[in-house]
Amino acid sequence: VQLVESGGGSVRAGTSLTLTCVTSGYTDDGHCMGWFRQVPGKQREKVALIGSDRATHYSQSVKGRFTISKDSAKNTLYLQMNSLQTDDTAVYYCAARMCHVAQYNYWGQGTQVTVS
């Protein structure tokens, strides 16, 4: 199983960025996916989740600004980030798990997002 993120970069506050996570090695059926982020010295935090039924959940800090979506035909997960703030600066990771399992056991390598 592989998850490969892309789309990070350095942007100005108030602008938008879209992260992409291409998955391989498993089918989308029964899998839950999510985006997480981590700042050095802090714990990794949940950003947005999407279930196998495409139900979504967002952290309060990004609600209304970020949108998680997936294209099962392309095995791709997206995170559309609008109205970026300096506090959004972090390494962003995509992750996957079987929905009946509590822990996310598949992780990408991360992509840096810097907002100034």
Side-chain angles (χ1 to χ4, degrees):
V1 176
Q2 270 199 315
L3 286 73
V4 180
E5 304 99 333
S6 62
S10 295
V11 297
R12 301 298 295 270
T15 61
S16 300
L17 206 59
T18 300
L19 303 183
T20 298
C21 174
V22 178
T23 67
S24 61
Y26 71 92
T27 61
D28 187 46
D29 292 348
H31 277 86
C32 291
M33 299 194 72
W35 287 97
F36 297 76
R37 66 188 182 188
Q38 188 168 24
V39 175
K42 292 189 176 181
Q43 281 196 326
R44 188 176 297 183
E45 66 169 347
K46 174 194 69 181
V47 175
L49 308 176
I50 186 165
S52 57
D53 60 355
R54 299 181 185 272
T56 58
H57 177 80
Y58 298 91
S59 69
Q60 276 301 121
S61 62
V62 307
K63 207 167 189 178
R65 300 187 298 122
F66 290 11
T67 302
I68 187 172
S69 62
K70 64 179 180 179
D71 185 333
S72 298
K74 296 182 178 179
N75 294 323
T76 302
L77 180 73
Y78 302 97
L79 184 68
Q80 174 67 41
M81 306 185 293
N82 297 328
S83 301
L84 282 161
Q85 303 168 356
T86 55
D87 286 349
D88 296 318
T89 295
V91 177
Y92 284 72
Y93 299 88
C94 68
R97 62 179 173 92
M98 290 296 293
C99 292
H100 64 275
V101 174
Q103 298 285 344
Y104 282 84
N105 51 350
Y106 303 122
W107 292 85
Q109 82 289 352
T111 185
Q112 176 72 47
V113 172
T114 302
V115 185
S116 60

